[in-house]
Amino acid sequence: MTVDPRILELCEKVTAKRPRTVIDFILKHGRVTTDDLLELGYAHAPRAARDVREQGVPLETISVTSERSGRRMAAYTFGDPGLIKAGRIGGRKAFSKPFKDRLIALYGSREAF
């Protein structure tokens, strides 16, 4: 499997354990399935895939048949490099308490976005 250099460069920057595990498996095997993630200790495959996406790495979800159960399940592969989201490395960010307090003081406790 050939992986676009832009995706490889982005993948090298990911250090968080769960997305790193998913990325390494895809790099080694070409894709990762729900069954694979269960064997790796991740019972909620969509959460593991979302962690990778939150790091800015595009993933494509396809449907495959499980060799174990014969049921349909998800498999994840790298997506279109044109969909790379700049500035996403590190995943979700938590605002500091003082920053949140200033926002609430300015806008009240309602959504401002």
Side-chain angles (χ1 to χ4, degrees):
M1 175 181 115
T2 305
V3 179
D4 188 282
R6 294 173 290 179
I7 289 182
L8 282 176
E9 180 183 345
L10 187 59
C11 289
E12 289 172 2
K13 297 176 183 175
V14 176
T15 58
K17 185 178 185 290
R18 186 165 42 195
R20 181 83 245 163
T21 301
V22 173
I23 288 168
D24 289 343
F25 197 94
I26 295 172
L27 288 172
K28 185 174 181 181
H29 302 282
R31 71 178 187 188
V32 64
T33 66
T34 300
D35 283 348
D36 296 330
L37 289 168
L38 190 58
E39 285 180 23
L40 292 170
Y42 299 111
H44 194 329
R47 175 70 251 178
R50 191 167 102 188
D51 285 346
V52 175
R53 289 182 177 116
E54 286 175 352
Q55 297 287 324
V57 179
L59 282 186
E60 185 177 309
T61 305
I62 57 175
S63 183
V64 296
T65 303
S66 170
E67 293 176 6
R68 281 194 221 154
S69 66
R71 295 168 59 177
R72 302 298 288 167
M73 67 178 169
Y76 304 95
T77 61
F78 292 125
D80 178 7
L83 298 175
I84 291 175
K85 304 256 189 333
R88 284 265 182 107
I89 291 301
R92 295 174 283 171
K93 302 282 189 265
F95 293 132
S96 69
K97 176 89 168 109
F99 179 72
K100 287 189 278 187
D101 291 341
R102 284 185 300 201
L103 282 178
I104 290 171
L106 283 172
Y107 301 106
S109 55
R110 62 181 170 86
E111 185 178 334
F113 292 105

